[in-house]
Each structure stands twice: as C-alpha cells, then as structure tokens.
C-alpha cells in the first residue's frame, strides 16, 4: 500500500519545493521507494467556472477546487490504483501521467 504525505500551507511558501526535496532525499536511500508529487493546482476549477460562480477572486481557496475530483484521486492513490494526475499547466481539463 502506498504511503501518502500531504504538505499544506498558503500560496507560494515552498510546498512544491519541499515535496521535490523530500523525493530527492528518499531516492538516495537503499531500496529507494518510487516517489512522485501532485500539486493541488491541477484540481482548481477552470477560470470560466469560477467566473460563473462569482468566485474568481477566491482562486486557491477551498471553494475554488474540484473537491470531488481531489477526493477520487486520493482514494484511488491510497488504494494503490494507477491514477491520472491533472496537469498544472494551462488547463484543468488536460491530464498528465503520474510522475510527469
């Protein structure tokens, strides 16, 4: 069963940097585990949805996330199932393979 670590905090405090560094440190261990990082940015509702709901100025707050999708992802990952990871690039409707 996979081990999931959550790193929380406000915008731009270094959560992704900490996660990347932790992965690097874990990879140095003998029989290193496979690691990957998933940011919550990929679970943000598209700007069009946020605009329609009148909460574009709340982007990054809990109500701006697709919480159901995030919960499905965490449930699948915890169960050890292969899951698709939303990209954090241009669109929250584009999907990336885990680890990219």
């Amino acid at each position: 069963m996979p081990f999931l670590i959550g790193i929380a905090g406000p915008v731009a405090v270094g959560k992704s940097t900490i996660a990347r560094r932790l992965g690097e440190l874990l990879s140095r261990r003998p029989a290193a585990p496979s690691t990957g990082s998933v940011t919550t940015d990929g679970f943000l509702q598209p700007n069009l949805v946020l605009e329609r709901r009148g909460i574009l100025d709340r982007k990054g707050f809990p109500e701006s996330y697709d919480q159901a999708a995030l919960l499905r992802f965490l449930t699948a990952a915890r169960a050890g199932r292969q899951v698709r990871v939303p990209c954090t690039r241009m669109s929250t409707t584009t999907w990336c393979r885990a680890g990219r």
Side-chain angles (χ1 to χ4, degrees), residues 26-77:
L26 287 170
S27 71
R28 294 180 185 172
R29 296 182 54 196
S34 174
T35 65
S37 295
V38 177
T39 67
T40 56
D41 293 348
F43 294 97
L44 282 165
Q45 296 283 356
N47 285 347
L48 187 60
V49 171
L50 299 178
E51 286 174 2
R52 197 173 329 128
R53 292 177 55 203
I55 61 169
L56 184 57
D57 62 333
R58 303 277 301 160
K59 189 172 188 172
F61 286 81
E63 62 271 20
S64 67
Y65 289 93
D66 183 343
Q67 294 177 13
L70 181 56
L71 183 58
R72 284 191 304 274
F73 168 79
L74 290 172
T75 300

Side-chain angles (χ1 to χ4, degrees), residues 84-99:
R84 294 187 310 168
V85 178
C87 293
T88 58
R89 287 181 232 130
M90 297 294 200
S91 170
T92 57
T93 60
T94 303
W95 292 83
C96 295
R97 295 173 52 94

Side-chain angles (χ1 to χ4, degrees), residues 10-38:
V11 175
V13 295
K15 298 178 299 292
S16 296
T17 301
I18 293 286
R20 184 176 53 255
R21 185 69 179 129
L22 181 59
E24 291 169 0
L25 291 171
L26 287 170
S27 71
R28 294 180 185 172
R29 296 182 54 196
S34 174
T35 65
S37 295
V38 177

